[in-house]
PDB file of all heavy atoms in Angstrom:
ATOM      1  N   ALA K1106       0.844  -1.204   0.000  1.00 98.00           N
ATOM      2  CA  ALA K1106       0.000   0.000   0.000  1.00 98.00           C
ATOM      3  C   ALA K1106       0.870   1.242   0.000  1.00 98.00           C
ATOM      4  O   ALA K1106       1.927   1.271   0.628  1.00 98.00           O
ATOM      5  CB  ALA K1106      -0.920   0.005   1.216  1.00 98.00           C
ATOM      6  N   VAL K1107       0.409   2.262  -0.722  1.00 98.00           N
ATOM      7  CA  VAL K1107       1.002   3.596  -0.660  1.00 98.00           C
ATOM      8  C   VAL K1107       0.027   4.473   0.106  1.00 98.00           C
ATOM      9  O   VAL K1107      -1.145   4.575  -0.256  1.00 98.00           O
ATOM     10  CB  VAL K1107       1.248   4.170  -2.071  1.00 98.00           C
ATOM     11  CG1 VAL K1107       1.813   5.589  -1.979  1.00 98.00           C
ATOM     12  CG2 VAL K1107       2.209   3.277  -2.847  1.00 98.00           C
ATOM     13  N   LEU K1108       0.493   5.091   1.171  1.00 97.00           N
ATOM     14  CA  LEU K1108      -0.392   5.879   2.019  1.00 97.00           C
ATOM     15  C   LEU K1108      -0.582   7.277   1.439  1.00 97.00           C
ATOM     16  O   LEU K1108       0.371   7.881   0.944  1.00 97.00           O
ATOM     17  CB  LEU K1108       0.176   5.961   3.428  1.00 97.00           C
ATOM     18  CG  LEU K1108       0.487   4.607   4.075  1.00 97.00           C
ATOM     19  CD1 LEU K1108       1.021   4.801   5.478  1.00 97.00           C
ATOM     20  CD2 LEU K1108      -0.740   3.707   4.093  1.00 97.00           C
ATOM     21  N   PRO K1109      -1.792   7.812   1.480  1.00 97.00           N
ATOM     22  CA  PRO K1109      -2.069   9.125   0.885  1.00 97.00           C
ATOM     23  C   PRO K1109      -1.566  10.262   1.770  1.00 97.00           C
ATOM     24  O   PRO K1109      -1.444  10.106   2.989  1.00 97.00           O
ATOM     25  CB  PRO K1109      -3.584   9.147   0.774  1.00 97.00           C
ATOM     26  CG  PRO K1109      -4.039   8.296   1.920  1.00 97.00           C
ATOM     27  CD  PRO K1109      -3.019   7.198   2.038  1.00 97.00           C
ATOM     28  N   PRO K1110      -1.286  11.427   1.175  1.00 97.00           N
ATOM     29  CA  PRO K1110      -0.929  12.601   1.974  1.00 97.00           C
ATOM     30  C   PRO K1110      -2.054  12.956   2.941  1.00 97.00           C
ATOM     31  O   PRO K1110      -3.219  12.665   2.690  1.00 97.00           O
ATOM     32  CB  PRO K1110      -0.734  13.711   0.934  1.00 97.00           C
ATOM     33  CG  PRO K1110      -0.457  12.987  -0.349  1.00 97.00           C
ATOM     34  CD  PRO K1110      -1.257  11.716  -0.266  1.00 97.00           C
ATOM     35  N   ILE K1111      -1.684  13.588   4.057  1.00 96.00           N
ATOM     36  CA  ILE K1111      -2.663  13.993   5.063  1.00 96.00           C
ATOM     37  C   ILE K1111      -2.778  15.505   5.049  1.00 96.00           C
ATOM     38  O   ILE K1111      -1.803  16.218   5.303  1.00 96.00           O
ATOM     39  CB  ILE K1111      -2.248  13.514   6.462  1.00 96.00           C
ATOM     40  CG1 ILE K1111      -2.177  11.990   6.495  1.00 96.00           C
ATOM     41  CG2 ILE K1111      -3.218  14.026   7.521  1.00 96.00           C
ATOM     42  CD1 ILE K1111      -1.660  11.419   7.788  1.00 96.00           C
ATOM     43  N   ASN K1112      -3.966  16.004   4.709  1.00 95.00           N
ATOM     44  CA  ASN K1112      -4.193  17.447   4.685  1.00 95.00           C
ATOM     45  C   ASN K1112      -4.403  17.974   6.103  1.00 95.00           C
ATOM     46  O   ASN K1112      -5.315  17.538   6.805  1.00 95.00           O
ATOM     47  CB  ASN K1112      -5.406  17.784   3.815  1.00 95.00           C
ATOM     48  CG  ASN K1112      -5.114  17.614   2.345  1.00 95.00           C
ATOM     49  OD1 ASN K1112      -4.020  17.937   1.889  1.00 95.00           O
ATOM     50  ND2 ASN K1112      -6.070  17.101   1.599  1.00 95.00           N
ATOM     51  N   GLN K1113      -3.548  18.908   6.496  1.00 95.00           N
ATOM     52  CA  GLN K1113      -3.655  19.522   7.808  1.00 95.00           C
ATOM     53  C   GLN K1113      -3.805  21.027   7.647  1.00 95.00           C
ATOM     54  O   GLN K1113      -3.286  21.614   6.704  1.00 95.00           O
ATOM     55  CB  GLN K1113      -2.420  19.204   8.651  1.00 95.00           C
ATOM     56  CG  GLN K1113      -2.193  17.700   8.812  1.00 95.00           C
ATOM     57  CD  GLN K1113      -1.102  17.398   9.811  1.00 95.00           C
ATOM     58  OE1 GLN K1113      -1.228  17.702  10.985  1.00 95.00           O
ATOM     59  NE2 GLN K1113      -0.031  16.791   9.337  1.00 95.00           N
ATOM     60  N   THR K1114      -4.516  21.629   8.571  1.00 96.00           N
ATOM     61  CA  THR K1114      -4.751  23.073   8.514  1.00 96.00           C
ATOM     62  C   THR K1114      -3.716  23.802   9.363  1.00 96.00           C
ATOM     63  O   THR K1114      -3.515  23.467  10.536  1.00 96.00           O
ATOM     64  CB  THR K1114      -6.159  23.418   9.021  1.00 96.00           C
ATOM     65  OG1 THR K1114      -7.133  22.733   8.219  1.00 96.00           O
ATOM     66  CG2 THR K1114      -6.411  24.920   8.934  1.00 96.00           C
ATOM     67  N   LEU K1115      -3.063  24.789   8.766  1.00 96.00           N
ATOM     68  CA  LEU K1115      -2.078  25.589   9.481  1.00 96.00           C
ATOM     69  C   LEU K1115      -2.819  26.616  10.343  1.00 96.00           C
ATOM     70  O   LEU K1115      -3.629  27.387   9.833  1.00 96.00           O
ATOM     71  CB  LEU K1115      -1.153  26.297   8.496  1.00 96.00           C
ATOM     72  CG  LEU K1115      -0.406  25.377   7.517  1.00 96.00           C
ATOM     73  CD1 LEU K1115       0.456  26.194   6.570  1.00 96.00           C
ATOM     74  CD2 LEU K1115       0.447  24.369   8.265  1.00 96.00           C
ATOM     75  N   ASP K1116      -2.525  26.632  11.641  1.00 97.00           N
ATOM     76  CA  ASP K1116      -3.212  27.583  12.516  1.00 97.00           C
ATOM     77  C   ASP K1116      -2.247  28.663  12.996  1.00 97.00           C
ATOM     78  O   ASP K1116      -1.029  28.557  12.864  1.00 97.00           O
ATOM     79  CB  ASP K1116      -3.896  26.876  13.688  1.00 97.00           C
ATOM     80  CG  ASP K1116      -2.915  26.133  14.590  1.00 97.00           C
ATOM     81  OD1 ASP K1116      -1.744  26.550  14.684  1.00 97.00           O
ATOM     82  OD2 ASP K1116      -3.326  25.144  15.207  1.00 97.00           O
ATOM     83  N   LYS K1117      -2.820  29.728  13.557  1.00 97.00           N
ATOM     84  CA  LYS K1117      -2.026  30.902  13.922  1.00 97.00           C
ATOM     85  C   LYS K1117      -0.967  30.620  14.987  1.00 97.00           C
ATOM     86  O   LYS K1117       0.189  31.034  14.825  1.00 97.00           O
ATOM     87  CB  LYS K1117      -2.950  32.027  14.384  1.00 97.00           C
ATOM     88  CG  LYS K1117      -2.213  33.325  14.695  1.00 97.00           C
ATOM     89  CD  LYS K1117      -3.188  34.455  14.998  1.00 97.00           C
ATOM     90  CE  LYS K1117      -2.465  35.756  15.290  1.00 97.00           C
ATOM     91  NZ  LYS K1117      -3.427  36.867  15.529  1.00 97.00           N
ATOM     92  N   PRO K1118      -1.286  29.920  16.087  1.00 97.00           N
ATOM     93  CA  PRO K1118      -0.261  29.710  17.114  1.00 97.00           C
ATOM     94  C   PRO K1118       0.990  29.009  16.591  1.00 97.00           C
ATOM     95  O   PRO K1118       2.111  29.412  16.896  1.00 97.00           O
ATOM     96  CB  PRO K1118      -0.990  28.872  18.175  1.00 97.00           C
ATOM     97  CG  PRO K1118      -2.427  29.213  17.994  1.00 97.00           C
ATOM     98  CD  PRO K1118      -2.602  29.410  16.524  1.00 97.00           C
ATOM     99  N   THR K1119       0.801  27.957  15.774  1.00 93.00           N
ATOM    100  CA  THR K1119       1.970  27.215  15.301  1.00 93.00           C
ATOM    101  C   THR K1119       2.704  27.974  14.196  1.00 93.00           C
ATOM    102  O   THR K1119       3.926  27.900  14.089  1.00 93.00           O
ATOM    103  CB  THR K1119       1.567  25.817  14.817  1.00 93.00           C
ATOM    104  OG1 THR K1119       0.448  25.903  13.940  1.00 93.00           O
ATOM    105  CG2 THR K1119       1.193  24.933  15.996  1.00 93.00           C
ATOM    106  N   VAL K1120       1.967  28.721  13.357  1.00 97.00           N
ATOM    107  CA  VAL K1120       2.622  29.526  12.324  1.00 97.00           C
ATOM    108  C   VAL K1120       3.497  30.604  12.967  1.00 97.00           C
ATOM    109  O   VAL K1120       4.651  30.810  12.585  1.00 97.00           O
ATOM    110  CB  VAL K1120       1.574  30.158  11.385  1.00 97.00           C
ATOM    111  CG1 VAL K1120       2.204  31.242  10.520  1.00 97.00           C
ATOM    112  CG2 VAL K1120       0.944  29.086  10.494  1.00 97.00           C
ATOM    113  N   ARG K1121       2.952  31.286  13.973  1.00 97.00           N
ATOM    114  CA  ARG K1121       3.712  32.330  14.655  1.00 97.00           C
ATOM    115  C   ARG K1121       4.910  31.733  15.415  1.00 97.00           C
ATOM    116  O   ARG K1121       6.010  32.310  15.428  1.00 97.00           O
ATOM    117  CB  ARG K1121       2.801  33.084  15.623  1.00 97.00           C
ATOM    118  CG  ARG K1121       1.779  33.984  14.930  1.00 97.00           C
ATOM    119  CD  ARG K1121       2.469  35.206  14.315  1.00 97.00           C
ATOM    120  NE  ARG K1121       1.545  36.124  13.681  1.00 97.00           N
ATOM    121  CZ  ARG K1121       0.939  37.146  14.300  1.00 97.00           C
ATOM    122  NH1 ARG K1121       1.134  37.346  15.600  1.00 97.00           N
ATOM    123  NH2 ARG K1121       0.129  37.947  13.631  1.00 97.00           N
ATOM    124  N   LYS K1122       4.714  30.597  16.038  1.00 97.00           N
ATOM    125  CA  LYS K1122       5.811  29.939  16.753  1.00 97.00           C
ATOM    126  C   LYS K1122       6.943  29.588  15.797  1.00 97.00           C
ATOM    127  O   LYS K1122       8.128  29.773  16.105  1.00 97.00           O
ATOM    128  CB  LYS K1122       5.301  28.677  17.453  1.00 97.00           C
ATOM    129  CG  LYS K1122       6.379  27.919  18.210  1.00 97.00           C
ATOM    130  CD  LYS K1122       5.812  26.671  18.879  1.00 97.00           C
ATOM    131  CE  LYS K1122       6.891  25.894  19.613  1.00 97.00           C
ATOM    132  NZ  LYS K1122       6.338  24.666  20.264  1.00 97.00           N
ATOM    133  N   GLN K1123       6.578  29.084  14.615  1.00 96.00           N
ATOM    134  CA  GLN K1123       7.597  28.729  13.626  1.00 96.00           C
ATOM    135  C   GLN K1123       8.365  29.965  13.174  1.00 96.00           C
ATOM    136  O   GLN K1123       9.590  29.930  12.998  1.00 96.00           O
ATOM    137  CB  GLN K1123       6.945  28.040  12.426  1.00 96.00           C
ATOM    138  CG  GLN K1123       7.945  27.461  11.435  1.00 96.00           C
ATOM    139  CD  GLN K1123       8.774  26.358  12.048  1.00 96.00           C
ATOM    140  OE1 GLN K1123       8.262  25.512  12.774  1.00 96.00           O
ATOM    141  NE2 GLN K1123      10.053  26.348  11.768  1.00 96.00           N
ATOM    142  N   MET K1124       7.657  31.084  13.000  1.00 97.00           N
ATOM    143  CA  MET K1124       8.345  32.310  12.582  1.00 97.00           C
ATOM    144  C   MET K1124       9.310  32.791  13.667  1.00 97.00           C
ATOM    145  O   MET K1124      10.414  33.268  13.356  1.00 97.00           O
ATOM    146  CB  MET K1124       7.326  33.417  12.280  1.00 97.00           C
ATOM    147  CG  MET K1124       6.781  33.400  10.868  1.00 97.00           C
ATOM    148  SD  MET K1124       8.051  33.294   9.568  1.00 97.00           S
ATOM    149  CE  MET K1124       9.133  34.663   9.990  1.00 97.00           C
ATOM    150  N   ARG K1125       8.941  32.659  14.910  1.00 97.00           N
ATOM    151  CA  ARG K1125       9.861  33.053  15.980  1.00 97.00           C
ATOM    152  C   ARG K1125      11.113  32.182  15.970  1.00 97.00           C
ATOM    153  O   ARG K1125      12.234  32.677  16.178  1.00 97.00           O
ATOM    154  CB  ARG K1125       9.151  32.976  17.341  1.00 97.00           C
ATOM    155  CG  ARG K1125       8.092  34.071  17.530  1.00 97.00           C
ATOM    156  CD  ARG K1125       7.634  34.148  18.980  1.00 97.00           C
ATOM    157  NE  ARG K1125       6.901  32.951  19.380  1.00 97.00           N
ATOM    158  CZ  ARG K1125       5.579  32.826  19.281  1.00 97.00           C
ATOM    159  NH1 ARG K1125       4.841  33.810  18.767  1.00 97.00           N
ATOM    160  NH2 ARG K1125       4.979  31.732  19.694  1.00 97.00           N
ATOM    161  N   GLN K1126      10.936  30.887  15.701  1.00 97.00           N
ATOM    162  CA  GLN K1126      12.091  29.987  15.630  1.00 97.00           C
ATOM    163  C   GLN K1126      12.986  30.342  14.444  1.00 97.00           C
ATOM    164  O   GLN K1126      14.221  30.337  14.546  1.00 97.00           O
ATOM    165  CB  GLN K1126      11.610  28.543  15.525  1.00 97.00           C
ATOM    166  CG  GLN K1126      10.933  28.038  16.794  1.00 97.00           C
ATOM    167  CD  GLN K1126      10.334  26.661  16.640  1.00 97.00           C
ATOM    168  OE1 GLN K1126      10.239  26.122  15.531  1.00 97.00           O
ATOM    169  NE2 GLN K1126       9.927  26.057  17.746  1.00 97.00           N
ATOM    170  N   ILE K1127      12.377  30.664  13.306  1.00 98.00           N
ATOM    171  CA  ILE K1127      13.152  31.052  12.130  1.00 98.00           C
ATOM    172  C   ILE K1127      13.922  32.343  12.407  1.00 98.00           C
ATOM    173  O   ILE K1127      15.105  32.471  12.055  1.00 98.00           O
ATOM    174  CB  ILE K1127      12.226  31.213  10.911  1.00 98.00           C
ATOM    175  CG1 ILE K1127      11.696  29.844  10.462  1.00 98.00           C
ATOM    176  CG2 ILE K1127      12.951  31.908   9.751  1.00 98.00           C
ATOM    177  CD1 ILE K1127      10.633  29.911   9.390  1.00 98.00           C
ATOM    178  N   ASN K1128      13.284  33.300  13.057  1.00 97.00           N
ATOM    179  CA  ASN K1128      13.951  34.563  13.365  1.00 97.00           C
ATOM    180  C   ASN K1128      15.138  34.373  14.302  1.00 97.00           C
ATOM    181  O   ASN K1128      16.160  35.056  14.162  1.00 97.00           O
ATOM    182  CB  ASN K1128      12.953  35.560  13.956  1.00 97.00           C
ATOM    183  CG  ASN K1128      12.126  36.242  12.877  1.00 97.00           C
ATOM    184  OD1 ASN K1128      12.551  36.341  11.723  1.00 97.00           O
ATOM    185  ND2 ASN K1128      10.938  36.701  13.242  1.00 97.00           N
ATOM    186  N   ARG K1129      15.009  33.447  15.234  1.00 97.00           N
ATOM    187  CA  ARG K1129      16.149  33.183  16.114  1.00 97.00           C
ATOM    188  C   ARG K1129      17.329  32.638  15.315  1.00 97.00           C
ATOM    189  O   ARG K1129      18.487  32.983  15.570  1.00 97.00           O
ATOM    190  CB  ARG K1129      15.748  32.208  17.225  1.00 97.00           C
ATOM    191  CG  ARG K1129      14.906  32.855  18.323  1.00 97.00           C
ATOM    192  CD  ARG K1129      14.850  31.979  19.566  1.00 97.00           C
ATOM    193  NE  ARG K1129      14.062  30.775  19.346  1.00 97.00           N
ATOM    194  CZ  ARG K1129      12.755  30.683  19.573  1.00 97.00           C
ATOM    195  NH1 ARG K1129      12.089  31.756  20.009  1.00 97.00           N
ATOM    196  NH2 ARG K1129      12.116  29.560  19.380  1.00 97.00           N
ATOM    197  N   LYS K1130      17.033  31.795  14.325  1.00 97.00           N
ATOM    198  CA  LYS K1130      18.095  31.261  13.472  1.00 97.00           C
ATOM    199  C   LYS K1130      18.712  32.365  12.621  1.00 97.00           C
ATOM    200  O   LYS K1130      19.942  32.402  12.428  1.00 97.00           O
ATOM    201  CB  LYS K1130      17.540  30.144  12.588  1.00 97.00           C
ATOM    202  CG  LYS K1130      17.115  28.903  13.359  1.00 97.00           C
ATOM    203  CD  LYS K1130      16.510  27.858  12.443  1.00 97.00           C
ATOM    204  CE  LYS K1130      16.046  26.642  13.235  1.00 97.00           C
ATOM    205  NZ  LYS K1130      15.405  25.621  12.361  1.00 97.00           N
ATOM    206  N   LEU K1131      17.882  33.252  12.103  1.00 97.00           N
ATOM    207  CA  LEU K1131      18.395  34.366  11.308  1.00 97.00           C
ATOM    208  C   LEU K1131      19.301  35.265  12.148  1.00 97.00           C
ATOM    209  O   LEU K1131      20.376  35.688  11.699  1.00 97.00           O
ATOM    210  CB  LEU K1131      17.232  35.185  10.734  1.00 97.00           C
ATOM    211  CG  LEU K1131      16.420  34.526   9.609  1.00 97.00           C
ATOM    212  CD1 LEU K1131      15.193  35.359   9.289  1.00 97.00           C
ATOM    213  CD2 LEU K1131      17.274  34.333   8.362  1.00 97.00           C
TER     214      LEU K1131
END
């Protein structure tokens, strides 16, 4: 079997958290 992609919804808390992590790397 080949498993299908899983559609997930991007929400504000995790999007903002990811941007803070990226900014720390920058």
Side-chain angles (χ1 to χ4, degrees):
V1107 178
L1108 306 181
I1111 298 175
N1112 287 322
Q1113 303 189 64
T1114 301
L1115 303 179
D1116 62 29
K1117 184 174 181 178
T1119 49
V1120 167
R1121 289 288 182 90
K1122 179 180 179 180
Q1123 188 64 42
M1124 274 311 307
R1125 289 192 293 269
Q1126 292 174 349
I1127 290 172
N1128 279 335
R1129 284 195 290 270
K1130 293 177 182 178
L1131 289 172

